[in-house]
């Protein structure tokens, strides 16, 4: 499989942009920062983790999170706007590189005034 650097740049830019856009200060909690990017050479994966707006598990499980034009049910939290194209492009680039895109979202303060989650997008490339 041949890598297309320009496409991977689109993938990274969209995940960084979303991670920053949907994050907020979680310094009152025991977290490594509001946004973290990691590369794991052993598992050939890139992980983008943020602490911010929770992602609905139904949208993760159904794959609708990656549908063109889809904006998550919590995406408008605190006035955030978008076109619903970023995650669609992430999924397309992952698919073009035969990479697996896994998403997790774990609520960190259930019932809190402004709920926030630990969200992680992991792109695992084939060996």
């Amino acid at each position: 499989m041949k890598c297309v650097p320009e496409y991977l740049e689109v993938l990274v830019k969209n995940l960084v942009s979303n991670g920053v856009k949907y994050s907020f200060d979680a310094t009152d909690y025991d977290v490594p920062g509001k946004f973290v990017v990691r590369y794991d050479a052993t598992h050939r994966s890139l992980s983008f983790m943020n602490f911010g707006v929770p992602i609905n598990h139904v949208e993760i499980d159904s794959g609708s999170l990656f549908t063109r034009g889809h904006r998550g049910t919590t995406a408008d939290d605190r006035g955030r706007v978008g076109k619903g194209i970023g995650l669609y492009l992430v999924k397309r680039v992952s698919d073009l590189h035969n990479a697996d895109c896994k998403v997790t979202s774990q609520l960190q303060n259930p019932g809190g005034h402004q709920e926030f989650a630990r969200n992680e997008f992991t792109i695992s490339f084939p060996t």
Side-chain angles (χ1 to χ4, degrees), residues 64-96:
S64 66
L65 188 63
F66 297 105
T67 303
R68 185 177 181 165
H70 176 80
R71 294 206 62 231
T73 54
T74 56
D76 291 334
D77 179 74
R78 285 161 250 187
R80 292 169 177 89
V81 296
K83 302 281 187 214
I85 194 79
L87 292 180
Y88 167 76
L89 292 173
V90 165
K91 181 70 170 129
R92 292 284 296 141
V93 170
S94 295
D95 290 348
L96 288 170

Side-chain angles (χ1 to χ4, degrees), residues 20-71:
V20 171
K21 179 177 173 179
Y22 294 105
S23 294
F24 47 90
D25 187 7
T27 54
D28 291 342
Y29 298 88
D30 186 23
V31 297
K34 73 177 193 173
F35 184 70
V36 179
V37 178
R38 291 186 181 133
Y39 174 67
D40 181 338
T42 304
H43 295 101
R44 297 178 51 106
S45 65
L46 274 171
S47 296
F48 301 80
M49 180 179 51
N50 80 306
F51 292 88
V53 178
I55 303 170
N56 185 307
H57 288 275
V58 172
E59 293 169 315
I60 294 171
D61 295 341
S62 71
S64 66
L65 188 63
F66 297 105
T67 303
R68 185 177 181 165
H70 176 80
R71 294 206 62 231

